Amino acid sequence: MSEIENIQDDITTRNIVVNSNESNGTKVPLKRVLGLTSAILLVAGNVIGTGIFKKIVPMAASGLSEKYILAAWILAGIITMLGAFSIAGLAKLTTEAGGMFEYLRLCYGDFISFLFGWSRFTIVGSGAIAAVAFIFAQSFNSFIHFPDLLYQWQHVSVGSVYPFADSGVKTLAIIVIVLLTWFNYRGIKNTAVLNNVVTGAKIFGILLLIVLGVFFSHSSEVVNTNSFNMNNAGWLSFAGIFFGVMLNAFWAYDGFANVSAVSGEIKNPKKNLPVAIITGVSIVLILYTLINYAFMHSMSLNQLASIGGGKVAAIVVAENIIGKAGTVMISLLVLLSTFGFLNAAILVNSRFNFRMAQANLFFKNASRVHPVYQTPHIALLYFMIGSCVLVVSGSFDVLTDMVVFASFSFYVLLAIGLIKMKRKGVIREKITGYPFAPIVFSLFIVIVLVSTFINNPSRSITGIALVLTGVPFYYFFKRKNKKVSEQHKLETTK
């Protein structure tokens, strides 16, 4: 038997074991109901959060001119597009749920994929949901005040954690997580409709802000004095600053690959998933470039830089154009954006847990599919609990910042995984941009990782250590589910 046949046979064997639902007490499969349009909007919904409304501030403070800032957004978008090509290529491996977890499992085996899935469950995915839910609650609280019922206990601590601090905002954040989890629990079709409506409204709101900034701002009064002096600083200094600005843009593009997690619920995923990822990233790239042009067309870079980190740049720009009505409009847009991101994030992240459980790498009941709603309802509940715990702890920002280094390392493994599977002949289809896309994308991520490590080595090492805390749990789940797995293999070979 050839090496290619060995690899394909191994993948088939793994999928037979993973796809067996006998231990769940149900043979109900996930339902393929997501069409191409819903998948595209799910990509956009996962990417467009709050970053796009704020990132112009540190960029404007960099000292670079408008053209270089716009170039940074475009170049970061192109790098993201190369990543999209890479993930789209890996989508040819399987039609099952799990996305990046499943691609890592098929390329490298259970251990690496488990560390990815475990970090998503404990910190990365749950931390993002907790952080954005907190931002949503803060924004909502500015319109309608939610009572801080536990104010008198705000100084009570459990170690370094103050669970009762900001209790009103935390309670509201937990309520929205629970409500959206319940909505996801009730069926992916309704969730997709909600995502389509909210993401469509977000895109409309961003387009409206672009139109206001380009055509209705007092552009004649905008004088940009930012000018990087190449003669004094040199190309090396310029490259460092430009890379830092591009890095800010790149963070705003993150999330483009998450839609792959619901490949088990997308119609004709081998065709539609790659198109959805590439189209979704293209839409975001255009919107991000135009809205930043609108920001700089409406206010000078010095004015934008003076906004600081305590305010949302988009709100200040809108208020500068149309007064208090602009503040209300963009505040509502930020609310809508965070709400839409939460809905999409809960949908996709729960599918990692679901696939992990199918692969005997998580609590086995998380692999159950609801007999009526055909959703991974137990996996959704696990993710809801984890996210709510991080909301109460208030540690989500610190934890997610720490694991950025480890989290982005998985992107390198995915790009290399595509090259590995393509060279071995496991993926035989033509891949857009191959081999240029995965090579350039992985090289850029390596530069990001090196830069991150140099700037903050202790946080990077801590992040790796946090991900590696999953090692004992890996062996726990392997041992716990070993008998079940062996039983499945015996049944499928009869």
Side-chain angles (χ1 to χ4, degrees), residues 215-293:
F215 297 106
F216 294 94
S217 63
H218 307 292
S219 57
S220 59
E221 301 174 10
V222 176
V223 178
N224 284 306
T225 58
N226 277 20
S227 180
F228 190 87
N229 194 325
M230 194 71 68
N231 294 327
N232 294 336
W235 278 102
L236 190 61
S237 180
F238 169 78
I241 294 173
F242 181 79
F243 179 76
V245 169
M246 189 170 67
L247 202 55
N248 271 297
F250 188 69
W251 300 141
Y253 283 106
D254 194 25
F256 67 93
N258 288 343
V259 70
S260 62
V262 295
S263 55
E265 293 150 285
I266 293 176
K267 298 174 183 176
N268 193 7
K270 285 196 174 183
K271 177 183 177 183
N272 287 338
L273 184 56
V275 174
I277 294 173
I278 294 168
T279 305
V281 171
S282 299
I283 291 170
V284 173
L285 192 161
I286 293 168
L287 289 175
Y288 278 12
T289 304
L290 289 177
I291 195 171
N292 279 278
Y293 173 77

Side-chain angles (χ1 to χ4, degrees), residues 24 37 87 90 167 192-193 207 232 246 318 326 359 435 441-442 449 463 485:
N24 321 3
T37 301
I87 299 299
L90 287 168
S167 62
V193 170
L207 289 173
N232 294 336
M246 189 170 67
F441 178 70
S442 58
L449 293 174
S485 180

